[in-house]
Amino acid sequence: MKKIVLLTCLIALNFMSKSQTLGGYPIIGYLVDAVHPDGCVVSAVTGPPDDSTWVNLTVGDTLSGTFGNQWIDSTGNELLLETSFNTANYNVRLRLSSGLYSSTHAVSVGDWTAITDTTWVYVETNCNVTVFFPHNRYVLPLDFNTHFGLGATEVVDGIEIVFLTSTSGPDLAGIHIIGGTAFDCGAVDLGNDTTVCNGQGLVLDATYPDATYLWQDGSSDPSFFANESGEYWVSVTTDCGVFTDTIDVIIANVNPMIIDAGGNVLQCTDPFFSYQWYYNDTIIPGATDQNHTILNNGSYYVIVSDSNECEGTSNTIELDLVNGILELSKTSMSIFPNPNVGRCTLSASVLPDEVSVYNSVGQMLLNQVVNDEKELLFDLSEAGVYFIHARFDDGVVVRKVIVR
Protein backbone atom coordinates (compact mmCIF):
# COMPACT_ATOMS: atom_id res chain seq x y z
CA MET A 1 0.00 0.00 0.00
CA LYS A 2 1.63 3.23 -1.15
CA LYS A 3 0.30 6.67 -0.20
CA ILE A 4 1.00 10.03 -1.82
CA VAL A 5 -0.41 13.21 -0.31
CA LEU A 6 -0.09 16.55 -2.10
CA LEU A 7 -1.40 19.18 0.30
CA THR A 8 -2.50 22.52 -1.07
CA CYS A 9 -3.81 23.94 2.22
CA LEU A 10 -3.60 23.44 5.95
CA ILE A 11 -6.49 23.48 8.38
CA ALA A 12 -5.78 24.96 11.81
CA LEU A 13 -8.03 23.55 14.49
CA ASN A 14 -9.42 26.09 16.94
CA PHE A 15 -10.99 23.99 19.65
CA MET A 16 -11.47 25.84 22.90
CA SER A 17 -8.61 25.26 25.31
CA LYS A 18 -11.05 25.86 28.17
CA SER A 19 -14.67 24.91 28.36
CA GLN A 20 -16.91 27.88 27.51
CA THR A 21 -20.64 28.16 27.08
CA LEU A 22 -23.03 30.84 25.90
CA GLY A 23 -26.69 30.62 26.84
CA GLY A 24 -26.07 27.03 27.89
CA TYR A 25 -24.50 26.05 24.55
CA PRO A 26 -20.91 24.71 24.53
CA ILE A 27 -18.65 26.74 22.25
CA ILE A 28 -16.30 24.50 20.28
CA GLY A 29 -15.42 26.80 17.35
CA TYR A 30 -15.79 30.32 16.03
CA LEU A 31 -14.85 32.75 13.28
CA VAL A 32 -11.13 33.45 12.92
CA ASP A 33 -11.49 35.98 10.14
CA ALA A 34 -14.24 38.29 8.90
CA VAL A 35 -14.80 41.32 6.71
CA HIS A 36 -16.61 44.25 8.34
CA PRO A 37 -19.09 45.82 5.91
CA ASP A 38 -17.62 49.28 6.67
CA GLY A 39 -14.00 48.23 6.93
CA CYS A 40 -13.77 48.35 10.73
CA VAL A 41 -11.69 45.99 12.86
CA VAL A 42 -13.05 42.46 12.91
CA SER A 43 -12.18 41.49 16.50
CA ALA A 44 -15.72 42.37 17.59
CA VAL A 45 -17.11 39.19 16.02
CA THR A 46 -14.12 36.85 15.70
CA GLY A 47 -12.90 34.54 18.43
CA PRO A 48 -14.90 33.09 21.33
CA PRO A 49 -17.79 35.00 22.95
CA ASP A 50 -16.85 38.31 24.58
CA ASP A 51 -18.47 41.69 25.27
CA SER A 52 -17.72 43.31 21.91
CA THR A 53 -20.27 43.81 19.14
CA TRP A 54 -20.98 45.51 15.85
CA VAL A 55 -24.06 47.69 16.05
CA ASN A 56 -26.10 50.05 13.86
CA LEU A 57 -25.00 48.41 10.64
CA THR A 58 -26.48 49.61 7.39
CA VAL A 59 -29.42 47.66 6.00
CA GLY A 60 -28.15 45.53 3.11
CA ASP A 61 -24.59 45.28 4.49
CA THR A 62 -22.96 41.87 4.01
CA LEU A 63 -20.60 40.10 6.42
CA SER A 64 -18.39 37.26 5.22
CA GLY A 65 -16.37 35.20 7.66
CA THR A 66 -14.23 32.07 7.93
CA PHE A 67 -14.25 29.47 10.70
CA GLY A 68 -11.02 28.23 12.24
CA ASN A 69 -11.62 24.74 10.87
CA GLN A 70 -14.12 22.96 8.66
CA TRP A 71 -17.30 21.34 9.94
CA ILE A 72 -19.70 18.57 8.90
CA ASP A 73 -23.32 18.17 9.99
CA SER A 74 -24.08 15.92 12.96
CA THR A 75 -27.00 15.37 15.31
CA GLY A 76 -28.46 18.59 16.77
CA ASN A 77 -27.61 22.23 16.12
CA GLU A 78 -24.16 23.25 14.87
CA LEU A 79 -24.30 27.06 14.56
CA LEU A 80 -24.99 29.75 17.19
CA LEU A 81 -25.61 33.37 16.20
CA GLU A 82 -25.16 36.05 18.85
CA THR A 83 -26.53 39.59 18.76
CA SER A 84 -26.89 42.60 21.09
CA PHE A 85 -29.31 45.43 21.84
CA ASN A 86 -31.85 44.55 19.15
CA THR A 87 -33.08 41.29 17.75
CA ALA A 88 -32.54 41.62 14.01
CA ASN A 89 -33.53 40.18 10.65
CA TYR A 90 -30.74 38.45 8.70
CA ASN A 91 -30.39 36.38 5.57
CA VAL A 92 -27.80 33.73 6.40
CA ARG A 93 -26.08 31.13 4.23
CA LEU A 94 -23.07 28.89 4.82
CA ARG A 95 -20.00 28.80 2.61
CA LEU A 96 -18.84 25.30 1.64
CA SER A 97 -15.30 24.10 1.09
CA SER A 98 -16.17 23.62 -2.58
CA GLY A 99 -16.71 27.39 -2.92
CA LEU A 100 -20.47 26.96 -3.26
CA TYR A 101 -23.07 28.12 -0.73
CA SER A 102 -25.88 26.44 1.15
CA SER A 103 -29.48 27.50 0.77
CA THR A 104 -30.35 30.79 2.51
CA HIS A 105 -32.06 30.80 5.90
CA ALA A 106 -34.09 33.89 6.83
CA VAL A 107 -33.71 34.88 10.49
CA SER A 108 -36.63 36.81 11.95
CA VAL A 109 -36.81 39.06 15.00
CA GLY A 110 -38.96 36.55 16.85
CA ASP A 111 -36.42 33.71 16.45
CA TRP A 112 -33.95 35.06 19.04
CA THR A 113 -33.76 34.04 22.71
CA ALA A 114 -32.68 36.58 25.33
CA ILE A 115 -29.98 35.50 27.80
CA THR A 116 -28.00 37.30 30.53
CA ASP A 117 -27.46 41.02 29.90
CA THR A 118 -23.91 42.35 29.58
CA THR A 119 -22.02 45.63 29.27
CA TRP A 120 -21.17 45.92 25.60
CA VAL A 121 -18.17 47.45 23.90
CA TYR A 122 -19.33 48.15 20.37
CA VAL A 123 -18.05 49.35 17.02
CA GLU A 124 -20.41 51.68 15.17
CA THR A 125 -20.59 52.13 11.42
CA ASN A 126 -18.03 54.95 11.61
CA CYS A 127 -15.62 52.48 13.27
CA ASN A 128 -15.61 54.35 16.58
CA VAL A 129 -15.21 52.15 19.67
CA THR A 130 -17.56 53.06 22.51
CA VAL A 131 -18.18 51.66 25.98
CA PHE A 132 -21.89 51.25 26.38
CA PHE A 133 -24.27 50.44 29.21
CA PRO A 134 -25.57 47.01 30.15
CA HIS A 135 -28.03 45.77 27.62
CA ASN A 136 -29.69 42.67 26.18
CA ARG A 137 -27.85 39.66 24.75
CA TYR A 138 -29.58 37.26 22.36
CA VAL A 139 -28.66 33.89 20.82
CA LEU A 140 -30.08 31.75 18.02
CA PRO A 141 -29.05 28.09 17.44
CA LEU A 142 -29.32 26.74 13.87
CA ASP A 143 -28.85 23.31 12.27
CA PHE A 144 -26.76 22.71 9.12
CA ASN A 145 -29.31 20.27 7.73
CA THR A 146 -32.67 21.63 8.93
CA HIS A 147 -32.02 25.33 8.31
CA PHE A 148 -29.49 25.22 5.44
CA GLY A 149 -30.29 21.96 3.67
CA LEU A 150 -26.80 20.47 3.93
CA GLY A 151 -26.06 16.76 3.55
CA ALA A 152 -23.88 14.61 5.77
CA THR A 153 -20.74 14.99 3.61
CA GLU A 154 -20.91 18.70 2.77
CA VAL A 155 -18.11 20.62 4.47
CA VAL A 156 -18.70 24.11 5.94
CA ASP A 157 -15.78 26.54 6.21
CA GLY A 158 -17.45 29.96 6.42
CA ILE A 159 -20.59 32.07 6.52
CA GLU A 160 -22.28 35.00 4.81
CA ILE A 161 -24.85 37.26 6.50
CA VAL A 162 -26.90 40.00 4.84
CA PHE A 163 -28.24 42.45 7.44
CA LEU A 164 -31.87 43.47 6.98
CA THR A 165 -34.22 45.92 8.67
CA SER A 166 -34.74 45.97 12.45
CA THR A 167 -36.12 48.36 15.04
CA SER A 168 -32.94 50.37 15.64
CA GLY A 169 -30.60 49.11 12.95
CA PRO A 170 -29.09 45.60 12.67
CA ASP A 171 -26.25 44.45 14.90
CA LEU A 172 -24.08 41.35 15.46
CA ALA A 173 -21.97 40.10 18.37
CA GLY A 174 -20.62 36.71 17.29
CA ILE A 175 -20.90 33.55 15.21
CA HIS A 176 -19.97 30.32 16.98
CA ILE A 177 -19.87 26.56 16.41
CA ILE A 178 -21.72 24.54 19.07
CA GLY A 179 -21.88 21.12 17.39
CA GLY A 180 -20.95 19.11 14.33
CA THR A 181 -17.90 17.11 13.44
CA ALA A 182 -14.61 18.87 12.80
CA PHE A 183 -13.37 17.89 9.36
CA ASP A 184 -9.64 17.30 9.20
CA CYS A 185 -7.63 16.68 6.05
CA GLY A 186 -6.83 12.98 6.27
CA ALA A 187 -5.34 10.72 3.63
CA VAL A 188 -7.43 8.35 1.54
CA ASP A 189 -6.93 4.77 2.72
CA LEU A 190 -7.80 1.76 0.56
CA GLY A 191 -6.52 -0.59 3.25
CA ASN A 192 -3.67 -3.07 3.35
CA ASP A 193 -2.71 -5.33 0.48
CA THR A 194 -5.08 -8.28 0.73
CA THR A 195 -6.18 -11.65 -0.60
CA VAL A 196 -9.86 -12.44 -1.22
CA CYS A 197 -11.60 -15.57 -2.39
CA ASN A 198 -12.57 -16.14 -6.00
CA GLY A 199 -16.16 -15.08 -6.65
CA GLN A 200 -16.24 -12.59 -3.77
CA GLY A 201 -14.14 -9.64 -4.91
CA LEU A 202 -13.41 -6.58 -2.81
CA VAL A 203 -15.06 -3.15 -2.67
CA LEU A 204 -12.42 -0.41 -2.52
CA ASP A 205 -13.95 2.68 -0.93
CA ALA A 206 -12.29 6.09 -1.33
CA THR A 207 -15.30 8.23 -0.33
CA TYR A 208 -14.22 11.73 0.73
CA PRO A 209 -16.39 14.85 1.21
CA ASP A 210 -16.67 17.15 -1.80
CA ALA A 211 -14.12 15.17 -3.81
CA THR A 212 -13.59 13.92 -7.36
CA TYR A 213 -12.07 10.51 -8.12
CA LEU A 214 -9.87 8.89 -10.75
CA TRP A 215 -9.26 5.12 -10.63
CA GLN A 216 -6.65 3.13 -12.55
CA ASP A 217 -9.18 2.27 -15.27
CA GLY A 218 -10.34 5.87 -15.73
CA SER A 219 -13.61 5.48 -13.80
CA SER A 220 -14.70 8.25 -11.46
CA ASP A 221 -16.98 6.72 -8.80
CA PRO A 222 -16.19 6.97 -5.05
CA SER A 223 -15.71 3.17 -4.91
CA PHE A 224 -14.39 0.41 -7.15
CA PHE A 225 -15.11 -3.34 -7.20
CA ALA A 226 -11.91 -5.38 -7.56
CA ASN A 227 -12.64 -8.86 -8.91
CA GLU A 228 -9.29 -9.67 -10.52
CA SER A 229 -5.78 -9.95 -9.10
CA GLY A 230 -3.69 -6.84 -9.66
CA GLU A 231 -2.67 -3.39 -8.45
CA TYR A 232 -5.44 -0.85 -7.95
CA TRP A 233 -5.00 2.86 -7.32
CA VAL A 234 -7.12 5.96 -6.88
CA SER A 235 -6.37 9.67 -7.04
CA VAL A 236 -8.78 11.79 -4.97
CA THR A 237 -8.92 15.55 -5.50
CA THR A 238 -10.23 17.46 -2.47
CA ASP A 239 -10.15 20.97 -1.11
CA CYS A 240 -7.18 19.88 0.98
CA GLY A 241 -5.19 18.64 -2.00
CA VAL A 242 -4.72 15.48 -4.04
CA PHE A 243 -4.50 12.12 -2.24
CA THR A 244 -3.36 8.91 -3.92
CA ASP A 245 -3.37 5.38 -2.55
CA THR A 246 -2.50 2.00 -4.04
CA ILE A 247 -3.46 -1.53 -3.00
CA ASP A 248 -2.49 -4.97 -4.31
CA VAL A 249 -5.41 -7.41 -4.45
CA ILE A 250 -4.92 -11.13 -4.95
CA ILE A 251 -7.93 -13.24 -5.96
CA ALA A 252 -7.35 -16.72 -4.57
CA ASN A 253 -8.39 -19.40 -7.05
CA VAL A 254 -8.72 -22.69 -5.18
CA ASN A 255 -9.03 -25.46 -7.79
CA PRO A 256 -8.35 -28.91 -6.28
CA MET A 257 -8.06 -32.00 -8.46
CA ILE A 258 -8.40 -35.60 -7.28
CA ILE A 259 -7.02 -38.68 -8.96
CA ASP A 260 -7.12 -42.44 -8.46
CA ALA A 261 -3.81 -43.15 -6.72
CA GLY A 262 -4.35 -46.91 -6.84
CA GLY A 263 -5.08 -49.37 -4.08
CA ASN A 264 -8.58 -47.93 -3.57
CA VAL A 265 -6.98 -44.59 -2.61
CA LEU A 266 -8.10 -41.19 -3.93
CA GLN A 267 -5.62 -38.34 -3.74
CA CYS A 268 -5.95 -34.56 -3.88
CA THR A 269 -3.01 -33.66 -6.08
CA ASP A 270 -2.14 -30.33 -4.36
CA PRO A 271 -1.61 -29.57 -0.67
CA PHE A 272 -4.21 -27.34 1.03
CA PHE A 273 -4.90 -26.08 4.53
CA SER A 274 -7.92 -28.33 5.14
CA TYR A 275 -9.85 -31.15 3.44
CA GLN A 276 -13.31 -32.62 3.75
CA TRP A 277 -14.22 -35.63 1.62
CA TYR A 278 -17.76 -36.39 0.42
CA TYR A 279 -19.39 -39.63 -0.62
CA ASN A 280 -22.58 -39.38 -2.69
CA ASP A 281 -22.85 -35.69 -1.62
CA THR A 282 -22.68 -36.60 2.07
CA ILE A 283 -19.84 -35.66 4.42
CA ILE A 284 -17.58 -38.56 5.30
CA PRO A 285 -16.91 -38.15 9.06
CA GLY A 286 -13.18 -37.97 9.83
CA ALA A 287 -12.16 -37.86 6.14
CA THR A 288 -10.04 -34.74 6.43
CA ASP A 289 -6.70 -35.77 4.90
CA GLN A 290 -5.16 -35.22 1.49
CA ASN A 291 -5.76 -38.89 0.65
CA HIS A 292 -8.89 -40.97 1.19
CA THR A 293 -9.36 -44.75 1.03
CA ILE A 294 -12.66 -45.73 -0.55
CA LEU A 295 -14.83 -48.50 0.91
CA ASN A 296 -17.93 -48.35 -1.26
CA ASN A 297 -18.96 -47.80 -4.83
CA GLY A 298 -20.22 -44.29 -5.57
CA SER A 299 -19.19 -40.71 -6.28
CA TYR A 300 -16.41 -38.96 -4.37
CA TYR A 301 -15.06 -35.42 -4.25
CA VAL A 302 -13.29 -33.21 -1.74
CA ILE A 303 -13.84 -29.62 -0.59
CA VAL A 304 -10.63 -27.87 0.45
CA SER A 305 -9.68 -24.51 1.91
CA ASP A 306 -6.43 -22.57 1.80
CA SER A 307 -4.77 -20.47 4.51
CA ASN A 308 -7.07 -17.55 3.62
CA GLU A 309 -10.16 -19.71 4.28
CA CYS A 310 -11.00 -19.69 0.59
CA GLU A 311 -12.80 -22.88 -0.48
CA GLY A 312 -12.76 -24.92 -3.64
CA THR A 313 -14.49 -28.12 -4.75
CA SER A 314 -12.68 -30.81 -6.69
CA ASN A 315 -13.79 -32.78 -9.69
CA THR A 316 -16.02 -35.77 -8.95
CA ILE A 317 -14.85 -39.32 -9.42
CA GLU A 318 -17.37 -42.14 -9.86
CA LEU A 319 -15.76 -45.34 -8.59
CA ASP A 320 -16.52 -49.01 -8.85
CA LEU A 321 -14.32 -51.23 -6.68
CA VAL A 322 -14.28 -53.85 -9.44
CA ASN A 323 -14.04 -51.74 -12.58
CA GLY A 324 -12.25 -48.70 -11.12
CA ILE A 325 -13.00 -45.18 -12.34
CA LEU A 326 -16.25 -44.97 -14.26
CA GLU A 327 -16.44 -41.21 -14.77
CA LEU A 328 -13.88 -38.50 -14.33
CA SER A 329 -14.47 -34.97 -15.54
CA LYS A 330 -11.61 -32.51 -15.93
CA THR A 331 -13.89 -29.71 -17.05
CA SER A 332 -13.25 -26.32 -15.47
CA MET A 333 -16.37 -25.02 -13.72
CA SER A 334 -16.93 -22.27 -11.15
CA ILE A 335 -19.83 -20.85 -9.13
CA PHE A 336 -19.81 -17.15 -8.27
CA PRO A 337 -20.32 -15.36 -6.04
CA ASN A 338 -19.82 -18.07 -3.43
CA PRO A 339 -20.93 -17.63 -0.67
CA ASN A 340 -23.91 -15.55 -1.83
CA VAL A 341 -27.31 -14.32 -0.69
CA GLY A 342 -29.38 -16.58 -2.94
CA ARG A 343 -28.35 -15.69 -6.46
CA CYS A 344 -25.31 -17.19 -8.21
CA THR A 345 -23.97 -18.03 -11.65
CA LEU A 346 -22.46 -21.29 -12.96
CA SER A 347 -19.71 -20.77 -15.53
CA ALA A 348 -18.04 -23.67 -17.38
CA SER A 349 -15.37 -23.99 -20.03
CA VAL A 350 -17.60 -26.25 -22.11
CA LEU A 351 -21.35 -26.71 -22.33
CA PRO A 352 -22.73 -29.17 -19.72
CA ASP A 353 -25.39 -31.61 -20.80
CA GLU A 354 -27.41 -31.46 -17.61
CA VAL A 355 -27.35 -29.54 -14.33
CA SER A 356 -28.94 -30.60 -11.03
CA VAL A 357 -29.15 -28.84 -7.67
CA TYR A 358 -29.29 -30.78 -4.37
CA ASN A 359 -29.74 -29.58 -0.81
CA SER A 360 -27.55 -30.70 2.10
CA VAL A 361 -29.65 -33.81 2.76
CA GLY A 362 -29.49 -35.02 -0.83
CA GLN A 363 -32.90 -33.92 -2.11
CA MET A 364 -32.91 -32.83 -5.75
CA LEU A 365 -34.34 -29.32 -6.05
CA LEU A 366 -33.72 -28.70 -9.74
CA ASN A 367 -32.84 -30.69 -12.82
CA GLN A 368 -32.22 -28.84 -16.04
CA VAL A 369 -31.13 -29.92 -19.51
CA VAL A 370 -28.76 -27.29 -20.88
CA ASN A 371 -29.31 -26.02 -24.39
CA ASP A 372 -26.82 -23.37 -25.43
CA GLU A 373 -25.71 -21.43 -22.36
CA LYS A 374 -22.27 -21.77 -20.77
CA GLU A 375 -23.37 -19.51 -17.89
CA LEU A 376 -26.47 -20.46 -15.89
CA LEU A 377 -28.18 -18.31 -13.25
CA PHE A 378 -29.61 -19.89 -10.09
CA ASP A 379 -31.99 -18.39 -7.53
CA LEU A 380 -31.84 -20.20 -4.17
CA SER A 381 -34.33 -18.70 -1.76
CA GLU A 382 -33.31 -20.22 1.58
CA ALA A 383 -30.00 -19.98 3.43
CA GLY A 384 -28.07 -23.23 3.56
CA VAL A 385 -25.59 -25.50 1.77
CA TYR A 386 -26.32 -26.70 -1.77
CA PHE A 387 -24.52 -28.92 -4.29
CA ILE A 388 -24.65 -28.22 -8.01
CA HIS A 389 -23.95 -31.25 -10.25
CA ALA A 390 -23.04 -30.58 -13.87
CA ARG A 391 -22.81 -33.58 -16.18
CA PHE A 392 -20.35 -33.29 -19.07
CA ASP A 393 -19.32 -35.76 -21.78
CA ASP A 394 -16.37 -36.93 -19.68
CA GLY A 395 -18.09 -37.07 -16.29
CA VAL A 396 -19.69 -35.07 -13.50
CA VAL A 397 -18.42 -31.96 -11.74
CA VAL A 398 -19.86 -31.05 -8.32
CA ARG A 399 -19.57 -27.67 -6.66
CA LYS A 400 -20.67 -26.72 -3.15
CA VAL A 401 -22.64 -23.46 -2.83
CA ILE A 402 -23.28 -21.57 0.41
CA VAL A 403 -26.32 -19.28 0.65
CA ARG A 404 -26.34 -16.88 3.59
Side-chain angles (χ1 to χ4, degrees):
M1 179 176 62
K2 313 172 189 72
K3 295 183 183 298
I4 301 174
V5 181
L6 303 176
L7 292 181
T8 57
C9 66
L10 295 176
I11 296 179
L13 299 181
N14 69 339
F15 292 110
M16 304 294 297
S17 58
K18 295 182 179 180
S19 176
Q20 184 173 2
T21 62
L22 180 63
Y25 297 99
I27 306 301
I28 61 174
Y30 42 77
L31 291 184
V32 296
D33 189 26
V35 177
H36 191 287
D38 299 299
C40 303
V41 296
V42 299
S43 58
V45 294
T46 56
D50 54 26
D51 59 358
S52 61
T53 182
W54 294 345
V55 297
N56 298 330
L57 294 163
T58 303
V59 172
D61 278 344
T62 300
L63 154 81
S64 61
T66 302
F67 296 112
N69 53 292
Q70 298 176 320
W71 298 91
I72 299 175
D73 181 55
S74 64
T75 303
N77 296 312
E78 291 81 27
L79 185 70
L80 186 70
L81 303 182
E82 178 191 10
T83 190
S84 59
F85 296 95
N86 305 297
T87 51
N89 298 321
Y90 302 156
N91 277 341
V92 184
R93 62 178 184 167
L94 300 173
R95 188 181 69 227
L96 307 180
S97 61
S98 62
L100 302 175
Y101 285 86
S102 71
S103 59
T104 298
H105 177 68
V107 174
S108 301
V109 170
D111 295 339
W112 298 89
T113 299
I115 60 174
T116 306
D117 293 350
T118 191
T119 300
W120 293 104
V121 177
Y122 68 93
V123 180
E124 291 198 80
T125 51
N126 59 6
C127 298
N128 289 334
V129 178
T130 304
V131 177
F132 203 71
F133 299 103
H135 213 288
N136 295 333
R137 190 173 204 155
Y138 303 89
V139 293
L140 173 59
L142 297 172
D143 179 71
F144 284 176
N145 174 261
T146 303
H147 298 104
F148 299 99
L150 296 186
T153 62
E154 294 180 285
V155 181
V156 174
D157 67 7
I159 194 168
E160 180 186 89
I161 295 180
V162 177
F163 300 98
L164 305 177
T165 56
S166 61
T167 305
S168 302
D171 57 89
L172 179 70
I175 303 171
H176 313 295
I177 296 293
I178 58 173
T181 302
F183 177 74
D184 193 7
C185 288
V188 171
D189 186 6
L190 296 179
N192 296 324
D193 296 341
T194 189
T195 298
V196 296
C197 302
N198 185 31
Q200 294 180 353
L202 179 67
V203 176
L204 305 176
D205 189 1
T207 301
Y208 202 96
D210 296 328
T212 58
Y213 309 88
L214 177 64
W215 293 89
Q216 74 288 331
D217 68 341
S219 59
S220 57
D221 294 327
S223 62
F224 188 91
F225 184 67
N227 58 2
E228 296 181 356
S229 296
E231 181 181 80
Y232 295 82
W233 60 263
V234 65
S235 179
V236 182
T237 302
T238 75
D239 294 317
C240 297
V242 179
F243 301 96
T244 300
D245 193 19
T246 300
I247 183 174
D248 290 323
V249 177
I250 298 175
I251 305 297
N253 291 302
V254 181
N255 297 310
M257 173 67 71
I258 58 174
I259 61 174
D260 182 1
N264 295 340
V265 174
L266 298 180
Q267 181 182 75
C268 184
T269 57
D270 296 313
F272 290 96
F273 184 76
S274 69
Y275 307 84
Q276 177 59 64
W277 289 86
Y278 285 76
Y279 167 66
N280 290 342
D281 294 333
T282 301
I283 288 178
I284 305 174
T288 56
D289 296 324
Q290 186 173 355
N291 296 340
H292 177 66
T293 300
I294 61 171
L295 301 176
N296 300 289
N297 296 336
S299 63
Y300 292 84
Y301 61 90
V302 66
I303 294 178
V304 303
S305 65
D306 64 9
S307 58
N308 298 301
E309 299 184 352
C310 295
E311 288 191 347
T313 303
S314 75
N315 56 307
T316 298
I317 290 183
E318 295 281 348
L319 284 178
D320 185 294
L321 294 176
V322 175
N323 299 313
I325 298 176
L326 297 181
E327 298 187 42
L328 170 61
S329 176
K330 296 183 179 180
T331 302
S332 172
M333 186 180 85
S334 61
I335 305 292
F336 59 90
N338 190 19
N340 59 75
V341 294
R343 191 175 177 87
C344 61
T345 300
L346 179 153
S347 178
S349 57
V350 297
L351 188 68
D353 299 319
E354 185 181 37
V355 174
S356 303
V357 179
Y358 295 84
N359 61 17
S360 59
V361 295
Q363 294 174 321
M364 180 186 291
L365 305 179
L366 172 70
N367 181 260
Q368 179 177 342
V369 176
V370 181
N371 296 318
D372 57 358
E373 297 178 355
K374 289 186 179 180
E375 288 196 355
L376 301 175
L377 184 64
F378 296 93
D379 285 310
L380 304 173
S381 59
E382 296 184 2
V385 177
Y386 298 85
F387 297 91
I388 296 180
H389 293 225
R391 182 173 295 277
F392 298 89
D393 290 341
D394 64 344
V396 178
V397 175
V398 178
R399 291 291 182 264
K400 176 183 175 182
V401 179
I402 298 175
V403 176
R404 293 174 174 169

